[in-house]
């Protein structure tokens, strides 16, 4: 049984009104590794004394020391944070959980210390959220800590925010890196800018950059804005590698945008170079700048728009990165442009962008962007030639995804159902779950009717996304699409999991006897 499916089954029973059964199913999930879905489901389904009982049972096992995802060591991944939300408000249960997570397990004083820090941080952060405005609870939790663990209490950031950094330093000593950004955000929320700035500059380079960026909020006084920019200029970049340098530049540009200094952001953008590993290159930043200008039309001058388009067509943006943004950049730039620049976009800028993508699987993306721009200005069929060209041969699945989403918006289904189906099939051809998950939410109920035919055109060996489609169908209540996935399943495992989603749909609709029968038949629940 897939752990996420087991959680989904519990949630479906809860939504269908079977709260007791849902709780039993969720408790049964404690016999194995917990997926991230547990973090959202548990506080909904387990409340009051039942929640306390479940956490007490969990303390006898490994869950307080585990992450939702193997190998992840951030507080957001710690199961202990969810357990803390379940017991928050019960002092005895809170204390029991804290005593458990404070235990130093094998090698946690050495190579695995970050796992211990993450779970403690997650627990204090979750408990603090339950007692906003009640800092007296800090004394109660502090009594459970020995001297070495005093810094851990800084994770209760929302309680420290109004008290200030001096009080944190006095009570906690040095703030651990793992809690730094959360505490900076708490000081910002409490209007303690100076405390937030001081703490941010103590953090390591990457955390310091992110923390300083959170300080760039609307309405900063000129003096504070100047101090913030100066601090970011002094912030260490963290290394000489290009990706590390470009991450710094990308964040600096975002800080300028947050401070309404778009020309400074454009200056940073003009200096950026390829950053393919981290995804912080000039392409994504150019799209961010255009979106910022879209929210401030008066600032969207032709000179600024030309600057962005010229950068995208230049050597600093590699084709792979350009392909990821061009279909969004062109219609956005066109919508912001005056008549003269619109002519330039059609005659000059799109041809340059197209040339940068020549001989690539995504060469049509620049034309797709232009077609989308023309659709928005009143030509509903402007994209039809692009659709037809892309559907010939064996189109790239990611190009097909972009075009299928555009086709759904531009009414291609009503004009040419077969062509629309071929585009959807192109997006599904490689069997990637991620592409199916990106496409399906953009299709309305009528457009989803082509999915079974599109999937029929996909080789059986590439129908791995059947389970993802079945899950989506269950979530939106599309029983027809869900039934089609049962027929299209390429193997017994996919059929079993799709049948599990059918059981969830029945349970969600309150048809519990039939749901239970099907759940037992497909192995969704244990006998």
């Amino acid at each position: 049984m897939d752990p996420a499916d087991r959680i989904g089954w519990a949630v479906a029973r809860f939504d269908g009104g079977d709260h007791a059964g849902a709780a039993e199913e969720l408790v049964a999930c404690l016999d194995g590794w917990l997926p991230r879905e547990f973090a959202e489901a548990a506080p909904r389904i387990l409340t009051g004394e039942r929640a306390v009982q479940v956490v007490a049972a969990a303390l006898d096992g490994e869950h307080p020391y585990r992450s939702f995802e193997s190998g992840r060591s951030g507080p957001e991944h710690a199961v202990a944070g969810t357990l803390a939300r379940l017991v928050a408000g019960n002092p005895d249960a809170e204390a029991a959980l804290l005593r458990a997570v404070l235990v130093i397990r094998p090698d946690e004083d050495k190579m695995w210390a970050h796992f211990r820090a993450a779970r403690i941080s997650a627990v204090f952060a979750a408990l603090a959220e339950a007692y906003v405005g009640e800092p007296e609870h800090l004394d109660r939790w502090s009594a459970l800590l020995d001297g070495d663990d005093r810094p851990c209490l800084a994770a209760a950031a929302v309680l420290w925010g109004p008290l200030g950094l001096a009080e944190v330093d006095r009570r906690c000593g040095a703030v651990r890196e793992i809690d730094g950004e959360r505490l900076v955000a708490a000081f910002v929320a409490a209007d303690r800018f100076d405390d937030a700035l001081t703490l941010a500059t103590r953090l390591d380079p990457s955390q310091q950059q992110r923390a300083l960026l959170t300080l760039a909020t609307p309405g900063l006084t000129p003096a504070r804005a100047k101090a913030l920019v100066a601090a970011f200029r002094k912030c260490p970049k963290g290394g000489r590698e290009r990706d590390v340098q470009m991450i710094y530049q990308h964040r600096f540009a975002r800080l300028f945008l947050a401070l309404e200094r778009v020309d400074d952001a454009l200056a940073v953008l003009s200096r950026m170079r390829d950053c393919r590993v981290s995804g912080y290159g000039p392409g994504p930043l150019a799209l961010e700048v255009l979106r910022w200008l879209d929210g401030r039309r008066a600032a969207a001058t032709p000179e600024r728009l030309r600057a962005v388009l010229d950068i995208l067509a230049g050597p600093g943006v590699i084709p792979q990165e350009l392909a990821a943004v061009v279909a969004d950049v062109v219609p956005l730039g066109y919508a912001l442009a005056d008549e003269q620049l619109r002519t330039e976009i059609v005659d000059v800028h799109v041809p340059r962008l197209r040339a940068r993508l020549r001989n690539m699987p995504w060469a049509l993306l620049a034309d797709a962007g232009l077609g989308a721009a023309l659709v928005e200005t009143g030509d509903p069929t402007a994209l039809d030639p692009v659709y037809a060209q892309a559907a010939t041969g064996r189109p790239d699945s990611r190009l097909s995804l972009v075009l299928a989403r555009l086709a759904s918006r531009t009414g291609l289904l009503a004009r040419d159902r077969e062509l629309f189906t071929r585009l959807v099939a192109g997006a599904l051809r490689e069997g990637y779950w991620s592409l199916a998950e990106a496409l399906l939410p953009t299709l309305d109920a009528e457009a989803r009717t082509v999915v079974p035919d599109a999937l029929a055109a996909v080789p059986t060996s590439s129908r791995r996304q059947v389970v993802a489609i079945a899950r989506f169908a269950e979530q939106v209540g599309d029983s027809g699409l869900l039934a089609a996935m049962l027929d299209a399943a390429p193997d017994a495992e996919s059929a079993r999991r799709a049948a599990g989603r059918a059981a969830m749909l029945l349970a969600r609709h309150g048809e519990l006897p039939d749901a239970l029968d099907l759940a037992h038949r497909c192995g969704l629940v244990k006998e």
Side-chain angles (χ1 to χ4, degrees):
M1 288 176 287
D2 181 82
D5 286 352
R6 295 181 70 185
I7 302 296
W9 168 243
V11 171
R13 293 188 68 165
F14 184 84
D15 290 343
D18 183 17
H19 293 184
E24 291 175 2
E25 296 288 356
L26 205 60
V27 171
C29 293
L30 293 175
D31 63 4
W33 286 88
L34 293 173
R36 177 165 291 281
E37 287 80 357
F38 184 84
E40 181 179 351
R44 286 187 62 205
I45 295 173
L46 302 173
T47 58
E49 189 58 32
R50 185 60 180 269
V52 173
Q53 292 171 356
V54 169
V55 174
L59 294 183
D60 290 332
E62 291 295 305
H63 289 301
Y65 314 105
R66 288 178 174 172
S67 299
F68 286 120
E69 297 177 52
S70 177
R72 298 299 184 95
S73 59
E76 67 276 15
H77 302 293
V79 174
T82 298
L83 300 181
R85 283 189 284 276
L86 293 177
V87 299
N90 186 309
D92 292 337
E94 292 172 8
L97 176 61
L98 280 168
R99 290 191 188 96
V101 299
L102 287 166
V103 168
I104 300 176
R105 289 160 65 80
D107 287 330
E108 285 189 341
D109 56 340
K110 302 171 186 173
M111 61 185 300
W112 303 121
H114 52 287
F115 284 105
R116 179 174 183 266
R119 69 175 181 260
I120 297 171
S121 181
V123 169
F124 276 129
L127 293 180
E129 292 287 350
Y131 294 109
V132 174
E134 303 177 41
E136 61 271 16
H137 294 282
L138 294 170
D139 294 327
R140 176 162 60 88
W141 300 328
S142 181
L144 299 173
L145 303 176
D146 62 25
D148 291 339
D149 283 332
R150 281 178 56 221
C152 299
L153 195 57
V158 295
L159 298 182
W160 290 114
L163 301 181
L165 181 58
E167 187 66 9
V168 175
D169 288 342
R170 185 181 72 83
R171 298 274 301 276
C172 302
V175 175
R176 302 176 306 170
E177 292 286 344
I178 200 169
D179 301 320
E181 288 182 72
R182 184 188 290 116
L183 197 52
V184 167
F187 288 143
V188 171
D191 196 25
R192 286 183 169 271
F193 179 88
D194 293 340
D195 284 346
L197 183 60
T198 299
L199 177 58
T201 58
R202 297 179 185 174
L203 304 177
D204 68 29
S206 184
Q207 284 189 315
Q208 186 173 152
Q209 293 166 26
R210 294 194 301 266
L212 290 172
L213 191 53
T214 66
L215 282 152
T217 55
L220 277 187
T221 64
R224 285 183 171 182
K226 181 179 179 180
L228 181 56
V229 171
F232 206 98
R233 290 191 192 280
K234 295 177 183 177
C235 179
K237 296 179 178 65
R240 300 182 64 85
E241 300 88 351
R242 177 179 287 187
D243 273 55
V244 172
Q245 297 279 322
M246 290 304 104
I247 290 172
Y248 171 88
Q249 296 293 344
H250 190 116
R251 289 170 175 161
F252 204 1
R254 290 182 61 203
L255 182 130
F256 280 130
L257 289 178
L259 296 176
E260 306 283 324
R261 293 171 56 172
V262 64
D263 290 323
D264 289 314
L266 284 170
V268 174
L269 175 60
S270 69
R271 298 192 296 268
M272 292 189 68
R273 295 295 179 266
D274 167 29
C275 185
R276 69 190 69 189
V277 176
S278 64
Y280 280 80
L285 179 57
L287 181 56
E288 279 192 67
V289 171
L290 286 179
R291 286 172 172 163
W292 186 92
L293 290 170
D294 186 42
R296 299 157 184 81
R297 293 295 182 104
T301 63
E303 293 75 21
R304 287 168 176 157
L305 295 173
R306 286 190 185 95
V308 174
L309 293 169
D310 287 341
I311 289 166
L312 284 168
V317 181
I318 59 173
Q320 297 96 310
E321 191 175 272
L322 177 60
V325 301
V326 68
D328 293 315
V329 161
V330 173
L332 187 52
Y334 192 90
L336 293 170
D338 58 18
E339 287 303 319
Q340 179 181 343
L341 182 53
R342 286 186 175 188
T343 301
E344 288 180 29
I345 288 174
V346 174
D347 295 339
V348 179
H349 294 289
V350 167
R352 290 175 67 196
L353 296 170
R354 185 189 301 123
R356 294 282 292 146
L357 297 174
R358 185 177 293 121
N359 300 324
M360 296 288 178
W362 332 284
L364 282 174
L365 283 170
D367 297 284
L370 179 58
L374 298 177
V375 167
E376 292 298 322
T377 58
D379 182 358
T381 63
L383 272 165
D384 287 10
V386 181
Y387 298 147
Q389 186 176 349
T392 60
R394 185 183 175 87
D396 175 75
S397 57
R398 287 166 179 80
L399 169 63
S400 295
L401 170 64
V402 171
L403 294 178
R405 296 170 73 172
L406 287 171
S408 179
R409 283 167 35 198
T410 57
L412 179 64
L413 177 62
R415 297 192 302 277
D416 192 332
R417 184 182 182 90
E418 180 185 355
L419 179 56
F420 181 67
T421 303
R422 286 161 63 192
L423 290 173
V424 173
L428 300 176
R429 179 170 287 114
E430 302 299 328
Y432 297 127
W433 283 39
S434 59
L435 296 185
E437 289 169 343
L439 172 63
L440 291 168
T442 68
L443 306 181
D444 61 21
E446 181 63 25
R448 290 198 298 269
T449 62
V450 311
V451 172
D453 290 338
L455 199 59
V458 174
T460 302
S461 60
S462 296
R463 293 184 190 171
R464 297 181 299 276
Q465 73 283 83
V466 159
V467 177
I469 298 173
R471 182 178 62 214
F472 174 83
E474 179 260 321
Q475 290 170 345
V476 300
D478 191 334
S479 57
L481 180 59
L482 182 50
M485 292 307 101
L486 288 167
D487 292 335
D491 50 48
E493 171 67 9
S494 297
R496 184 186 65 76
R497 294 191 62 185
R501 288 291 161 177
M504 294 178 208
L505 185 60
L506 290 170
R508 203 179 300 280
H509 289 168
E511 300 176 32
L512 190 57
D514 289 340
L516 283 168
D517 179 61
L518 182 55
H520 281 102
R521 288 173 180 270
C522 68
L524 182 61
V525 297
K526 293 182 177 180
E527 296 294 340

